[in-house]
Amino acid sequence: MYLVDKEVIHETFGKGSVVGYNDNYIKIDFESGVKKFIFPDVFGEYMTLVDQEAVNLVKMEIQKREEEKKKEELRLRKDKALERERQHILEQKKTMQSRKVHPKQQAVFWCETGEEDKIFTEGRVFIGKVKSGKNKGQPRRLARINWKSGCLLTRREPGMPEKYRHILGVFMAEEGFNGQTCKDGYILAHPEYRLRLSEQESHKMLFWKYYMNKNFPTKITWNSGRQRYFDNIWMAQILQDIVSLKKKPEEREVAQRFFEYFCKVNHINGNKLPKANGALVQIQ
């Protein structure tokens, strides 16, 4: 844009010509002397250009700056919203950190064939619906589940005995998640702490090696329901075994970070875990 020597008309100072300008200011030479104005704002208020081409150029500059201003305002609003969300998560996390760690604050799910694809793609798992009572049909809530909880996905192949139920993968709930206040029935996955097993790996990780009904230690039955609570120690044992299962160094490193994070937030000594003692071990 070239405006030097272009004629202008100011509502107070009359006719003048441009003698210089930059991104912020413009200097106009009037009969009364050289005046300095904010550029390009002055052209929208007190002063006009005589040359139509120059008028169009300034309009384009004003429009460009308005768009930049709107973008900056939108960015600031988004930043403020993100900061409010961050503060909300920190407050929730602080509240939950003060709560005593429940020894069974993990969750294990029965997945239908292929359901794990959707779960890992969407980064969330549906808890299920209430099946009876006044809240029938409403999403269930898992009061114990919070950001320290892992969600274990399992499946039993059609026609196979329950003892062959195998582990498909596991993820931590996202930071700030609180099962007591969750209304839509979904546990959102942490963006970093997620592990999905290959088919070969999955069939090596049998769920009943770790899980046991302490009242009936040799009983291998799921019965009904999509989900049940799970011991923190059992989850740590599973994560530790997944680390050992991984052959590629980069995959083992990811699994190791997951294991260490889980042990840290659940106050578990990862170096002193007991051996898995689930129902499959009991019946051997």
Side-chain angles (χ1 to χ4, degrees), residues 258-269:
F258 191 143
F259 171 65
E260 290 174 358
Y261 172 80
F262 177 85
C263 290
K264 179 181 178 181
V265 299
N266 284 283
H267 306 162
I268 293 172
N269 187 340

Side-chain angles (χ1 to χ4, degrees), residues 78-89:
K78 286 182 177 179
D79 286 348
K80 287 180 180 179
L82 287 171
E83 179 60 22
R84 286 195 299 270
E85 178 65 17
R86 190 183 73 85
Q87 289 297 331
H88 177 67
I89 289 173

Side-chain angles (χ1 to χ4, degrees), residues 196-208:
R196 184 174 181 180
L197 303 185
S198 68
E199 186 175 353
Q200 216 173 19
E201 292 170 337
S202 178
H203 285 280
K204 292 179 181 178
M205 294 290 296
L206 295 178
F207 169 71
W208 290 94

Side-chain angles (χ1 to χ4, degrees), residues 154-167:
T154 73
R155 183 170 67 234
R156 175 175 62 80
E157 304 300 340
M160 295 295 289
E162 176 60 32
K163 69 178 182 178
Y164 293 117
R165 177 176 297 278
H166 51 99
I167 294 166

